[in-house]
Amino acid sequence: QVQLVESGGGSVQAGGSLRLSCQASGKTFNINKYGWYRQAPEQQREGVAVIFTNDGTAHYADSVKGRFTISRDNDKNMVYLQMDGLKPEDTAVYYCNAQWRAGVLGEDYWGQGTQVTVGS
């Protein structure tokens, strides 16, 4: 099992910045990929950014490219999402995700979420 705890959400004005943190614990050695997802009211959960644990490759949703940066601190088992140039449409609950895959087997783990609110 893997446990994920997010922190760092809050309220900012448009153009501001926030940094989300995700503390991972448990059997993290199996994890292939960490990611940040978000869900706005009455919207489906969507992927924001992911980072692969084998080589640190990161991928971003088009809507956040150039504004958000995902990173990892392996020693501390932390995953971060630096969010700059925030827009009102970034308002959502942000969830940390950890995923392992081995052939047809796999599992996803989720944090409890942290609210980000961007005022116009």
Side-chain angles (χ1 to χ4, degrees), residues 59-101:
H59 299 279
Y60 299 90
D62 287 343
S63 59
V64 306
K65 277 181 183 175
R67 300 188 298 122
F68 290 11
T69 304
I70 188 171
S71 62
R72 263 188 88 203
D73 184 327
N74 294 335
D75 291 338
K76 297 180 180 179
N77 272 339
M78 295 290 293
V79 183
Y80 304 100
L81 185 68
Q82 178 66 40
M83 305 186 293
D84 299 316
L86 282 162
K87 304 175 181 180
E89 51 263 43
D90 294 318
T91 296
V93 177
Y94 284 70
Y95 297 91
C96 181
N97 169 268
Q99 182 184 101
W100 72 264
R101 293 287 184 268

Side-chain angles (χ1 to χ4, degrees), residues 8-14 16-18 20 83 86 91 114-119:
S11 297
V12 295
Q13 291 299 107
S17 297
L18 283 172
L20 305 183
M83 305 186 293
L86 282 162
T91 296
T114 185
Q115 177 70 47
V116 171
T117 302
V118 184

